[in-house]
């Protein structure tokens, strides 16, 4: 669980490093998966507000749509 926005930011930083993506290349698709729009609050803020379970559910839903198309 992400109990603070700082924890969400730390998670995103680890994800960027482990995948080798630049921050911008990673944040845009995650924001769209979480909200359905391309602009809005910081992704770390979204993750913190939604919580890890809801965020995972939304990302999994988008991934399933991509795989099935």
């Amino acid at each position: 669980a992400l109990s603070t926005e700082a924890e969400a930011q730390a998670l995103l930083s680890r994800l960027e490093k482990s995948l080798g993506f630049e921050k911008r290349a990673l944040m845009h698709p995650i924001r769209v998966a979480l909200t359905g729009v391309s602009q809005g609050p910081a992704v770390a803020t979204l993750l913190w507000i939604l919580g890890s379970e809801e965020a995972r559910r939304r990302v999994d839903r988008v991934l399933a749509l991509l795989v099935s198309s």
Side-chain angles (χ1 to χ4, degrees), residues 37-59:
V37 296
S38 62
Q39 295 182 358
V43 173
T45 303
L46 294 169
L47 289 173
W48 176 58
I49 291 170
L50 292 172
S52 54
E53 286 184 32
E54 179 62 17
R56 182 178 299 247
R57 187 186 69 74
R58 291 181 185 203
V59 170

Side-chain angles (χ1 to χ4, degrees), residues 4 16 21 23-24 26 37 41 46 54 60-61 64 67-68:
T4 68
E16 290 168 28
F21 285 104
K23 184 176 184 173
R24 185 176 183 145
L26 188 59
V37 296
L46 294 169
E54 179 62 17
D60 286 346
R61 182 184 63 204
V67 169
S68 68

